Amino acid sequence: MGPYFLRRLLIAVPSLLGISVVLFAVLALAPGDPFSEMATNPNVPPEVREALRQSLGLNDPVWQRYGHWLWAMLHGDWGFSFISRVDVDTLIWQRVPVTLAVIGASQLLALAVALPVGIMAATRPYSWFDKLANTLAFMGFSLPTFFTGLLLILLFSIKLDWLPFVYRADLPATGWAWWWEQLRQTLMPVLVLGLFQAAGWTRYVRSAALDVIRLDYVTTARSKGLPERLVVLRHVARNALIPVVTLVALSMPQVFGGAIVTEQIFRIPGIGSLLIDAILRNDTPVIMAVTFVLACLVILFNLVADLLYGWLDPRISYR
């Protein structure tokens, strides 16, 4: 597995380079200027604005600016924000833990719902449980996250006044009280993202489990007198997880996209809200760094999926 892992990392390097070239070119050719507010400020002389642009290299050709950015990135210098005047890596590492906590909890919730419900629906096809699971899955998948987020806010925050609808990074509580308040303010965003993903994954798990149930080795296991629970867990569930791993890995861009919308709804100070704020203010270094980090995470999750294949299916060998 070691040589295979190294080969995949080497393949990821040109992929990341290509992604960075496309991102940098798109941002460079996009309309707008991060110093547009300064240009309309009469207190800033034109020569000062021009000197500042020259010092930041904004007047250089695109290829030269990309070379400077790539060289700085390789040396751990991600630049600094034009708006907040703070290092970009500092801004990102302040926001990443919150985003990963929300996304991680939502994906665990999605798997905890989709796997048992999908497998149970496949073992009881066309039963009332299967029909109910399919109906709820279609309803959950058809409702966008911003709509369900607003519904939960109206119900649990405004109507019942049970949960806060604004996420606070500076909770005044400590100890167990802090964990309780953290759970209360994280519950709704995790439910919005997790149930949306669970709706789509349930249908996929059901389809994959139905394909496995019809195979000969499952029939052979049942003919040997193995309990149905053991047949489902050992032979059906494990083999049905192989295509689900691919689905989960390839769904990561969609998950991060949904997290950006959810963070805006619940005012979560995560990497999604940082990206939206940087886009609105045309803060190019922050936009470039955040999108590049998201691309790295997507490639990382695909690598993890490839490594999980060998654990789920012993027939797969890493060569």
Side-chain angles (χ1 to χ4, degrees):
M1 184 181 295
Y4 174 81
F5 182 76
L6 292 177
R7 287 199 305 270
R8 286 302 306 269
L9 287 180
L10 292 177
I11 295 174
V13 171
S15 301
L16 291 175
L17 285 176
I19 292 172
S20 65
V21 170
V22 173
L23 290 176
F24 200 92
V26 169
L27 291 177
L29 298 176
D33 191 344
F35 296 99
S36 57
E37 296 182 2
M38 186 180 296
T40 59
N41 190 348
N43 297 323
V44 181
E47 57 273 13
V48 174
R49 295 197 299 266
E50 187 62 25
L52 185 58
R53 293 181 61 88
Q54 191 69 28
S55 65
L56 295 175
L58 297 179
N59 294 330
D60 297 337
V62 176
W63 63 268
Q64 189 174 352
R65 288 159 53 189
Y66 173 76
H68 292 160
W69 175 85
L70 181 61
W71 182 255
M73 283 285 291
L74 293 176
H75 288 78
D77 182 11
W78 292 20
F80 69 97
S81 171
F82 292 157
I83 305 302
S84 60
R85 302 296 190 270
V86 179
D87 290 339
V88 174
D89 55 348
T90 302
L91 287 176
I92 291 178
W93 291 120
Q94 287 175 350
R95 305 293 189 96
V96 165
V98 178
T99 298
L100 291 183
V102 173
I103 290 179
S106 65
Q107 298 315 289
L108 291 177
L109 174 63
L111 289 174
V113 173
L115 292 180
V117 172
I119 292 175
M120 289 178 63
T123 55
R124 302 170 177 84
Y126 309 111
S127 64
W128 68 267
F129 181 84
D130 185 26
K131 295 177 181 179
L132 179 62
N134 286 328
T135 302
L136 294 178
F138 279 122
M139 291 176 58
F141 190 72
S142 61
L143 296 177
T145 55
F146 68 86
F147 181 75
T148 54
L150 293 176
L151 284 182
L152 291 183
I153 289 175
L154 289 174
L155 177 61
F156 293 108
S157 297
I158 297 177
K159 185 69 175 180
L160 300 176
D161 195 20
W162 288 354
L163 302 173
F165 63 89
V166 176
Y167 190 98
R168 293 186 57 185
D170 53 343
L171 291 175
T174 57
W176 288 107
W178 183 89
W179 285 103
W180 172 248
E181 292 299 325
Q182 188 72 15
L183 176 63
R184 292 181 67 244
Q185 69 177 0
T186 311
L187 185 59
M188 283 196 295
V190 169
L191 285 176
V192 169
L193 287 175
L195 295 180
F196 179 78
Q197 288 297 122
W201 291 354
T202 299
R203 292 284 303 165
Y204 201 88
V205 171
R206 177 185 179 276
S207 178
L210 278 176
D211 292 338
V212 174
I213 287 175
R214 299 188 181 101
L215 296 179
D216 293 338
Y217 66 85
V218 177
T219 304
T220 303
R222 285 172 173 163
S223 64
K224 290 181 178 179
L226 292 177
E228 183 67 19
R229 178 174 175 272
L230 189 60
V231 172
V232 171
L233 291 178
R234 180 177 297 179
H235 298 282
V236 176
R238 181 168 182 174
N239 291 279
L241 282 177
I242 297 175
V244 175
V245 169
T246 305
L247 175 69
V248 173
L250 297 180
S251 299
M252 283 301 109
Q254 179 184 359
V255 172
F256 282 106
I260 292 175
V261 177
T262 306
E263 287 181 2
Q264 288 296 105
I265 295 175
F266 295 98
R267 298 296 185 269
I268 299 175
I271 196 171
S273 60
L274 176 64
L275 178 60
I276 295 297
D277 185 64
I279 292 174
L280 294 177
R281 298 188 177 191
N282 202 16
D283 198 351
T284 307
V286 177
I287 299 173
M288 185 67 195
V290 171
T291 51
F292 188 72
V293 168
L294 293 180
C296 292
L297 290 176
V298 171
I299 291 178
L300 175 63
F301 280 115
N302 279 271
L303 177 59
V304 171
D306 288 342
L307 295 178
L308 287 176
Y309 286 153
W311 176 71
L312 292 172
D313 191 352
R315 297 171 298 177
I316 297 176
S317 61
Y318 298 105
R319 297 179 180 177

